[in-house]
Amino acid sequence: MKPFHLQAAVPGLEPSSDLVSRTLNVNQESAQLIYLSTLCDKQYIQSSIMQAFDACGNLAEFNAKLTMIAGFERIKNGNLQAEKLLHGFALVVFPDAICAIEAKKASLAKPSETSSESIIQGPQKAFSEDLEQNVQIIRTRYPSKNLNVEYTEIGTESRTQLAILYDKAKVDPDILLDLDKRLAGVEAAVVQASNQVQMLLTSRFEFFPTALVTDRPDRTALSLSKGKVILLLNGTPFSINLPAVFYDFMVSMDDAYQSPWLTRPLLILRYMAVFITTALPALYVAAVSYNPEFFQTQLAIEIAGSRAAVPYASFYEVFFMLFMTEALTEASIRLPKHIGSTATTVGGLILGQAAQEAGLVSSIMIIIASSVAVSNFVIPINTMSYSMRLIKFPLVICAMYFGLVGVVTGIFCFIVYAASLRSFGRPYLKLFIGEAKKSR
Amino acid sequence: MSRYFFYLMCVSMLIHTILFIPRVLIDERFDGAIPSLFIGPVIGCVLMVVFTRSMQQFKGKGLPEIAAMFLPKAAAVPLMLVFGLVTMTSGCLIWIHCAFIMSKYLNPDMAIYVLLSLFVIVTCFGALQSTKTVLFSLEIILILSVPLLLTLLVHSIFSENMNYDAVKAMIDYSWIMPSWKSVSASSYTFAGYIGLAVFNREFKDGKPIRFLWLIPFLGLGLMLASFFIPIGYLGTAGIDDYIYTWVSTIDAIRMKYVFIERVISVYLLILLMMTYVFTMITWHLGSQVIGSCFRSYDPQTAAWRSKLPSLVICVVIGIGTVLAGSRINEIMLFQAVSSWMIFHLPFDAAFVMIVFIWSKSKRRIQQ
């Protein structure tokens, strides 16, 4: 009987201390059981493989018994052994064949509460960090016989599992083709987050997101029913929905669950918030520095009065306050939850008050800065609110040099730019009159 | 896609009724401008209907492709050059006009060539987008600005400062033979159909455009408003004292309970937005038509090589606009505009006739 050679059986595997390799002897013959103890469920291996081995008189019988176990695969050729080991399979190496039995530990990940897109009344649980569980969630929410699930891998090093889900009856085959082409072109080494996948699939330097990342299973199921393609990445509680148009980012799931008398005005409110969060600082600079006659007389005097103590041009003020609010937003994301409230109190209340009293910024500017920040949080989807945070700066620069003319020019540029975007071949910004509603 | 045709017509009607036509017509208000308000739409609409019907014979084809079907290259290239230059010049004139207004009312401290350079650069950026993108952004901007513009219009009609006696006084001058210039100018309101020369590439379904009969009424209404409202505000004789008639009229309107009391600031911003859209369209038209004379031109791809001819054309015309704008003054501009008005109608008519003949001969070939 020749000694077992690990490298020969599993080429390319480096010895590791969680690698278990046991020889199973019967009738002068021997098979080798190999698994990674950190990935596999020992109890399950005991009850399935070991029990089967116990009841057998020779290897052939054992081999036949193994085929009865759920999750059995025969590795025919190639160097898939190491791959299978790393995905939680236990390998049984016979002298003439290699069998793989799935023995993965049950995932401990549980769906958490939705955090990035909360609504008041409606489904409350988000996705979990486990891919299988996420696919299960979608299958239960969207029990259609047309639902198609494909698995692939992304990232040359991380080999992260990626599931592609779509409703075969409704999906546009062009989008699938386009997606395949783009997935093949991804060259990133380590892929760990849905937003990263979204960026890898679309152009990296786009100002607006052209694929929608959400942690809500109900939004995902709705997207499936509208013929969109869903990507689920292992290890993140988010789904990527594509294609996505501009209006999709403005819709909260609440809009589908409540009366139109409430949701339509809310939708208008969101668009107004978009206008305020992008254009208000620029309009302030333009109106104060170039065209104070823009406003009603009393209002113009009020603004000029509140700026009386401020020693520098309006755009310094705007940049100073915008910097503070952006820094505050960043700080409250990064800080641990318990310290977060301190940052907002110190930064928002004390600093704002003191800056105004010291005459460094006008009180009107404090109102503008806070309304810009608040309006930005009204946008339902996080990636879009990031884009809107960004857009106000070019507009302020335009206003600095050209006044109101510059603001209009900037807005025109962004509208043309957004209209020139395509999300997987679909126009991003236009009126979809007479076409099926893309969301809701 | 027929709604996009409406947008094209609307934006050209709005721009012309705001910027050019009141000036030309009001100069001739005692010499037959009022009958021309009614004759112009008839001529303009006949041309429009003939042109749209003829272009619909060629589904999904632009003017360069159609010309290549009927003419040898040596004849097609000069024709395209003339057509492209004429459309782009109308954009240039409008930019210079708009830059004068903006530098007078919004940025009085800024040299006109600085403003014009900004306008021209942004317009080049817009004009170089794909045809679809131009249509989409046209749609979005119209949806955003037309309601505001209509509010202003309604507000100005029902304002107490509007003096209807002056309007009634003008009716005495209704039965005077109109001059060629005023007829040509008022028919120019409907010049938006020229856009089909390139945008027909996107109108592939070949369905007849619905509600086409609405356009003459829309145009007539807009023209009546843009002719009589300034007269109502500024007086039949007093109107001569103003250079930018419409802007001065709007400056006389006040909204008492709105943050922005003087309507003119909002109005100027909308005007600027509309001018951006209109020049984007005309320059897109011109650069596409002239660009089609080059071999590397291909409207199907977004590669920069196929856009290079269009880019060069836009940049050349843009530099020309800035140079012209910084050299001429308002008197020269208005002279140029009125001679442009005289020249435009025969050119449009000839051009529509050519396309009409081509569509007839295509039908004959098919039979």
Side-chain angles (χ1 to χ4, degrees):
Chain A
M1 203 174 84
K2 59 179 187 221
F4 177 72
H5 216 289
L6 187 68
Q7 272 295 334
V10 188
L13 188 73
E14 294 298 322
S16 150
S17 40
D18 61 348
L19 183 76
V20 178
S21 170
R22 285 168 62 182
T23 317
L24 309 172
N25 285 319
V26 61
N27 280 352
Q28 315 289 308
E29 293 170 305
S30 74
Q32 194 78 12
L33 173 67
I34 311 170
Y35 61 93
L36 284 167
S37 60
T38 43
L39 285 181
C40 294
D41 187 351
K42 290 184 196 106
Q43 208 70 43
Y44 178 73
I45 291 180
Q46 185 64 38
S47 65
S48 59
I49 304 176
M50 290 312 210
Q51 221 160 49
F53 179 69
D54 209 28
C56 296
N58 56 35
L59 275 189
E61 202 178 326
F62 177 46
N63 198 342
K65 271 234 159 102
L66 280 184
T67 57
M68 315 283 277
I69 297 174
F72 169 86
E73 275 176 46
R74 199 178 289 280
I75 296 178
K76 296 226 171 58
N77 52 349
N79 297 329
L80 278 174
Q81 293 95 315
E83 187 92 351
K84 287 286 173 202
L85 266 185
L86 288 173
H87 280 116
F89 280 72
L91 296 185
V92 181
V93 183
F94 293 100
D96 51 350
I98 299 177
C99 303
I101 294 107
E102 191 176 1
K104 204 174 181 177
K105 264 184 199 166
S107 163
L108 296 175
K110 278 213 178 83
S112 52
E113 300 277 315
T114 52
S115 56
S116 61
E117 230 184 294
S118 8
I119 63 173
I120 297 175
Q121 289 179 326
Q124 297 291 321
K125 288 275 186 250
F127 284 114
S128 76
E129 300 219 324
D130 181 49
L131 182 62
E132 295 299 321
Q133 200 170 12
N134 289 346
V135 175
Q136 182 212 336
I137 290 173
I138 292 183
R139 277 228 182 257
T140 33
R141 277 200 184 269
Y142 193 71
S144 158
K145 57 183 190 302
N146 291 324
L147 183 64
N148 206 331
V149 185
E150 286 171 16
Y151 288 96
T152 172
E153 279 176 346
I154 188 168
T156 49
E157 292 289 323
S158 66
R159 299 296 210 45
T160 321
Q161 264 196 306
L162 185 76
I164 305 170
L165 288 87
Y166 53 90
D167 189 322
K168 190 126 199 181
K170 289 173 177 158
V171 76
D172 180 357
D174 290 346
I175 293 171
L176 285 177
L177 271 177
D178 193 8
L179 179 66
D180 277 348
K181 214 189 301 165
R182 292 191 197 199
L183 276 175
V186 170
E187 281 172 352
V190 179
V191 178
Q192 310 204 63
S194 306
N195 276 338
Q196 193 187 0
V197 175
Q198 180 223 317
M199 221 161 60
L200 290 169
L201 290 181
T202 56
S203 165
R204 199 182 168 79
F205 294 104
E206 273 171 4
F207 268 114
F208 297 107
T210 48
L212 191 145
V213 175
T214 176
D215 66 346
R216 298 197 64 86
D218 50 346
R219 193 191 271 272
T220 313
L222 194 65
S223 301
L224 271 177
S225 74
K226 305 288 178 199
K228 296 193 181 187
V229 181
I230 308 294
L231 302 183
L232 291 169
L233 189 73
N234 197 13
T236 53
F238 293 100
S239 72
I240 306 162
N241 307 2
L242 45 97
V245 299
F246 181 79
Y247 308 106
D248 291 347
F249 294 88
M250 287 296 159
V251 179
S252 148
M253 279 312 285
D254 258 346
D255 293 0
Y257 303 147
Q258 280 173 348
S259 123
W261 290 111
L262 188 63
T263 56
R264 292 292 154 80
L266 280 178
L267 207 59
I268 296 170
L269 178 121
R270 279 188 213 123
Y271 283 102
M272 278 158 66
V274 165
F275 178 75
I276 287 173
T277 195
T278 50
L280 196 60
L283 283 176
Y284 176 77
V285 170
V288 167
S289 302
Y290 282 86
N291 301 92
E293 80 278 3
F294 188 67
F295 293 120
Q296 221 177 6
T297 326
Q298 283 93 339
L299 192 60
I301 292 170
E302 187 82 17
I303 293 173
S306 92
R307 261 184 58 76
V310 181
Y312 34 68
S314 59
F315 57 86
Y316 280 113
E317 219 186 345
V318 168
F319 273 123
F320 179 61
M321 277 323 281
L322 287 186
F323 171 79
M324 281 319 293
T325 45
E326 294 302 317
L328 249 170
T329 321
E330 265 316 277
S332 47
I333 296 170
R334 308 286 160 230
L335 276 177
K337 278 211 174 72
H338 305 288
I339 319 175
S341 55
T342 327
T344 42
T345 318
V346 173
L349 291 175
I350 302 178
L351 206 137
Q353 183 80 18
Q356 192 256 318
E357 274 174 11
L360 294 180
V361 292
S362 62
S363 45
I364 302 257
M365 187 59 228
I366 304 250
I367 299 171
I368 289 177
S370 40
S371 53
V372 163
V374 170
S375 310
N376 191 40
F377 301 142
V378 172
I379 301 166
I381 304 284
N382 198 251
T383 40
M384 185 50 100
S385 85
Y386 274 131
S387 322
M388 292 302 173
R389 262 169 78 181
L390 184 71
I391 281 171
K392 61 178 176 263
F393 291 102
L395 286 183
V396 171
I397 292 171
C398 284
M400 246 166 77
Y401 286 106
F402 293 100
L404 286 172
V405 172
V407 181
V408 171
T409 308
I411 293 173
F412 173 78
C413 285
F414 276 114
I415 289 176
V416 172
Y417 173 75
S420 77
L421 286 182
R422 300 284 180 274
S423 173
F424 293 82
R426 292 294 172 81
Y428 187 65
L429 183 66
K430 67 165 207 162
L431 289 188
F432 295 93
I433 298 171
E435 296 173 39
K437 272 202 174 134
K438 294 290 181 260
S439 54
R440 262 175 300 128
Chain B
M1 294 300 263
S2 68
R3 69 173 196 267
Y4 288 104
F5 179 75
F6 261 84
Y7 297 147
L8 284 175
M9 290 304 292
C10 279
V11 78
S12 115
M13 278 189 222
L14 284 171
I15 276 293
H16 288 134
T17 48
I18 288 168
L19 278 181
F20 281 164
I21 288 155
R23 180 78 250 148
V24 177
L25 290 185
I26 284 169
D27 280 345
E28 307 225 338
R29 63 191 178 285
F30 300 123
D31 307 317
I34 297 178
S36 79
L37 286 179
F38 296 91
I39 301 172
V42 175
I43 299 175
C45 287
V46 167
L47 289 179
M48 175 188 81
V49 170
V50 171
F51 189 67
T52 47
R53 288 278 152 79
S54 324
M55 283 308 269
Q56 275 176 348
Q57 298 285 320
F58 308 96
K59 269 175 222 156
K61 282 209 175 87
L63 185 70
E65 291 93 280
I66 299 171
M69 279 163 63
F70 292 97
L71 289 178
K73 193 146 190 182
V77 167
L79 191 69
M80 293 301 108
L81 263 176
V82 168
F83 176 77
L85 280 178
V86 167
T87 27
M88 287 182 97
T89 314
S90 72
C92 299
L93 278 177
I94 279 176
W95 257 145
I96 295 171
H97 196 133
C98 188
F100 275 130
I101 293 177
M102 291 299 151
S103 74
K104 196 143 279 164
Y105 286 89
L106 279 181
N107 288 13
D109 303 333
M110 202 165 274
I112 198 155
Y113 66 89
V114 180
L115 270 178
L116 261 180
S117 314
L118 173 79
F119 295 156
V120 160
I121 291 169
V122 173
T123 313
C124 284
F125 160 74
L128 286 176
Q129 304 295 330
S130 69
T131 305
K132 273 207 172 87
T133 302
V134 171
L135 286 177
F136 295 158
S137 29
L138 162 68
E139 177 172 44
I140 296 292
I141 289 169
L142 267 190
I143 298 282
L144 291 179
S145 42
V146 164
L148 277 170
L149 214 56
L150 282 184
T151 319
L152 292 189
L153 203 66
V154 170
H155 196 90
S156 58
I157 289 173
F158 294 107
S159 165
E160 58 190 14
N161 294 330
M162 173 86 185
N163 182 3
Y164 282 97
D165 286 341
V167 177
K168 279 178 204 151
M170 282 312 294
I171 295 176
D172 292 345
Y173 301 92
S174 301
W175 300 108
I176 295 172
M177 202 48 197
S179 72
W180 171 255
K181 192 162 91 182
S182 52
V183 170
S184 178
S186 63
S187 72
Y188 194 35
T189 314
F190 299 88
Y193 59 83
I194 291 288
L196 269 188
V198 164
F199 293 111
N200 200 38
R201 284 179 186 156
E202 300 301 330
F203 299 161
K204 284 171 189 151
D205 49 6
K207 276 185 219 151
I209 295 161
R210 283 181 301 169
F211 306 115
L212 205 59
W213 49 267
L214 249 172
I215 283 175
F217 297 104
L218 263 178
L220 181 66
L222 266 176
M223 270 202 294
L224 288 177
S226 77
F227 182 75
F228 283 116
I229 291 175
I231 289 176
Y233 273 85
L234 307 175
T236 46
I239 201 163
D240 268 340
D241 301 338
Y242 299 91
I243 307 174
Y244 302 106
T245 332
W246 246 109
V247 184
S248 305
T249 309
I250 296 282
D251 205 5
I253 303 172
R254 174 171 170 239
M255 284 199 180
K256 213 169 172 183
Y257 300 108
V258 185
F259 275 143
I260 302 154
E261 200 176 14
R262 286 174 67 201
V263 170
I264 182 162
S265 22
V266 180
Y267 168 79
L268 284 178
L269 298 184
I270 300 171
L271 171 67
L272 183 62
M273 205 62 152
M274 302 299 281
T275 318
Y276 266 125
V277 176
F278 183 76
T279 46
M280 176 172 78
I281 292 168
T282 48
W283 285 25
H284 181 76
L285 272 176
S287 63
Q288 292 288 316
V289 167
I290 300 179
S292 68
C293 303
F294 293 86
R295 203 172 296 150
S296 65
Y297 172 84
D298 179 11
Q300 304 302 327
T301 65
W304 70 272
R305 262 193 74 84
S306 75
K307 280 192 176 172
L308 196 64
S310 309
L311 174 69
V312 172
I313 294 155
C314 280
V315 168
V316 168
I317 297 280
I319 293 172
T321 311
V322 175
L323 285 181
S326 52
R327 298 214 168 194
I328 66 176
N329 55 28
E330 275 138 356
I331 298 171
M332 287 156 78
L333 175 71
F334 288 127
Q335 274 166 358
V337 167
S338 47
S339 41
W340 178 258
M341 288 298 171
I342 294 170
F343 156 75
H344 203 275
L345 183 58
F347 171 78
D348 276 3
F351 170 69
V352 169
M353 275 315 290
I354 294 174
V355 177
F356 179 68
I357 292 166
W358 282 343
S359 76
K360 281 280 170 227
S361 61
K362 184 190 179 228
R363 201 178 283 168
R364 207 173 304 133
I365 291 167
Q366 275 171 349
Q367 283 167 359

